Amino acid sequence: MVDLKGQYEYIKDRVNASVLDVIESTAFINGPEVHQFQKELETYLGVKHVIPCANGTDALQIAMMGLGLKPGDEVITADFTFAATVEVIALLGLTPVLVDVDPVDFNIDIAAIKRAITPKTKAIVPVHLFGLVANMDAIMDIAKEHNLYVIEDNAQAIGATYTSKDGSKKMAGAIGHVASTSFFPSKNLGCYGDGGAIFTNNDDLAHTIRGIVNHGMYERYHHDVVGVNSRLDSIQAAVLRAKLPNLDDYNKARQQAARKYTKAFEGIANIITPIGCCANEGVICDDCDCHVFHQYTLRILNADRDALVKHLNEQGIPCGVYYPIPLHLQKAYKDDRYIETDFVVTNQLVKEVISLPMHTELDDEQIDFITTTVINFVTQ
Ligand SMILES: *Cc1c(COP(=O)(O)O)cnc(C)c1O
């Protein structure tokens, strides 16, 4: 699914040298590399504050802690996403409110958000799923109208840009009140272990969060709030600094591979290819980077998706089903309030989706083999 080894070959000298420098310096925690990476990522994203932390799940949790969300507060998020998003909501004693997604872009459904709002709603967590930015214009409008926070889960879309109705462009993660990301190795910007970060343009929130990630300390040994220990270590920061200058090229390579996949699947009736552009009405993205293809995900219609998975694996082609079970049906997150007719799209998608290999090192021969194998199976 990913080729981290192939990617490493190109940056080996840079990565090895900077990792060795960290080891020589012994500044393993909060060393200069972490600070430098923070500054470089702030510049890249055009946000005032990046707060590095230990992983993307922590980043979400800390963002919610920083906003002061309290038990009983309701947080709306998508039913069709990785469990980390709903996990931290539940862990903090907040009430997750899962809603359906859009069948075209796989992102949180705007009408479903509106229906789910109650007087207890405090925040919306859009997940930019598979690398495509959610409909942030609509989400920010709803948030403004109902006085809600927007926490972008940007674990899958770092480097994506979003063009608003007014024509202005922003990076994913720089649109909501606060955002989280993950540097898990297979993410678009991955380190060689765990890592994550929180982004915000709000000075006060950034200050609060910087304390929370460090045991609630704003002054040494003065613990003003309950915090956590969540740090990006200097070795990971060194790896990320070596890779950040390549992120746009990495994303371009993913988009290029996505275009080739989509072209190959043209005209195959029982395959729906992913859209390559945000689904905002009235927005034409020229030179569009709103999709950075963390995953390339097909919908397979009128064919046995699970048999296709098995067939691809037998042919030596890795593939993934993201995600096979809707979150509202997971044992940990079941709730009597949920009714199946509210999750028609997610319930359908979990049966149809399949994600093909997607990374920066895919070559034409691999894409040909993968697409031919898929097409032969679904049209047989
Ligand atoms: C990967 C991911 C996370 C969690 O990131 P970790 O660094 O693995 O904790 C959260 N949300 C989404 C949508 C993800 O894809």
Side-chain angles (χ1 to χ4, degrees), residues 55-57 60 81-82 84-85 127 153 155-156 182 184 187 195 323:
N55 58 66
T57 309
L60 271 170
T81 174
F82 183 55
T85 324
V127 182
D153 182 343
Q156 301 189 0
S182 163
F184 186 80
K187 299 285 155 92
Y323 296 91

Side-chain angles (χ1 to χ4, degrees), residues 19 32 39 51 72 75 88 120 135 176 200 205 230 250 263 279 298 300 306 316 328 355:
V19 167
K39 291 284 160 211
I51 303 109
V75 179
V88 299
K120 290 184 181 164
N135 185 346
T200 184
L205 180 60
S230 187
Y250 288 159
K263 181 126 193 47
L298 301 174
I300 303 295
D306 292 332
H328 81 277
S355 300

Side-chain angles (χ1 to χ4, degrees), residues 25-323:
S25 78
T26 73
F28 297 117
I29 301 290
N30 278 337
E33 290 289 327
V34 178
H35 190 67
Q36 287 301 325
F37 172 63
Q38 173 198 319
K39 291 284 160 211
E40 287 160 9
L41 191 57
E42 284 167 356
T43 305
Y44 175 81
L45 293 169
V47 288
K48 274 174 94 176
H49 305 281
V50 165
I51 303 109
C53 67
N55 58 66
T57 309
D58 274 9
L60 271 170
Q61 177 183 328
I62 293 159
M64 290 177 201
M65 291 170 76
L67 291 171
L69 302 184
K70 295 274 173 333
D73 290 350
E74 293 179 0
V75 179
I76 297 173
T77 194
D79 189 37
F80 188 61
T81 174
F82 183 55
T85 324
V86 67
E87 177 178 55
V88 299
I89 299 171
L91 203 60
L92 291 174
L94 314 174
T95 307
V97 178
L98 295 166
V99 302
D100 211 359
V101 296
D102 182 280
V104 175
D105 68 10
F106 302 140
N107 278 324
I108 195 162
D109 184 87
I110 301 303
I113 297 177
K114 290 183 183 161
R115 283 195 298 273
I117 291 174
T118 75
K120 290 184 181 164
T121 308
K122 287 284 150 42
I124 307 168
V125 186
V127 182
H128 304 318
L129 202 74
F130 303 149
L132 177 67
V133 187
N135 185 346
M136 291 304 292
D137 278 340
I139 292 167
M140 295 310 290
D141 284 349
I142 295 172
K144 201 165 171 194
E145 186 185 334
H146 296 273
N147 201 20
L148 310 175
Y149 294 120
V150 175
I151 305 162
E152 290 174 76
D153 182 343
N154 196 30
Q156 301 189 0
I158 195 159
T161 56
Y162 180 77
T163 308
S164 288
K165 280 179 288 204
D166 65 7
S168 66
K169 260 189 180 186
K170 278 188 184 157
M171 302 295 287
I175 309 163
H177 301 95
V178 60
S180 62
T181 200
S182 163
F183 305 122
F184 186 80
S186 63
K187 299 285 155 92
N188 291 34
L189 178 63
C191 57
Y192 294 168
D194 272 310
I198 303 135
F199 325 140
T200 184
N201 284 313
N202 182 314
D203 297 338
D204 293 336
L205 180 60
H207 173 76
T208 304
I209 288 174
R210 278 185 217 291
I212 291 173
V213 297
N214 189 24
H215 303 290
M217 273 197 289
Y218 296 91
E219 197 185 322
R220 207 160 170 73
Y221 298 121
H222 293 254
H223 302 273
D224 295 357
V225 296
V226 177
V228 294
N229 169 17
S230 187
R231 299 183 279 236
L232 180 71
D233 69 65
S234 307
I235 289 181
Q236 299 309 336
V239 173
L240 290 165
R241 283 194 73 198
K243 288 177 79 172
L244 180 59
N246 299 344
L247 178 57
D248 286 344
D249 286 339
Y250 288 159
N251 284 337
K252 288 262 175 294
R254 287 172 178 271
Q255 289 165 341
Q256 192 64 30
R259 264 182 226 120
K260 289 177 186 165
Y261 272 140
T262 295
K263 181 126 193 47
F265 292 127
E266 236 170 43
I268 308 294
N270 45 356
I271 291 179
I272 300 184
T273 53
I275 58 167
C277 176
C278 42
N280 281 330
E281 266 170 24
V283 175
I284 297 152
C285 302
D286 49 340
D287 180 28
C288 185
D289 279 317
C290 57
H291 202 328
V292 291
F293 289 96
H294 176 60
Q295 299 293 348
Y296 182 87
T297 303
L298 301 174
R299 292 175 61 189
I300 303 295
L301 313 180
N302 308 315
D304 186 340
R305 189 270 321 268
D306 292 332
L308 173 61
V309 169
K310 191 159 166 274
H311 179 69
L312 292 182
N313 286 332
E314 280 163 6
Q315 300 296 309
I317 299 171
C319 59
V321 172
Y322 310 114
Y323 296 91

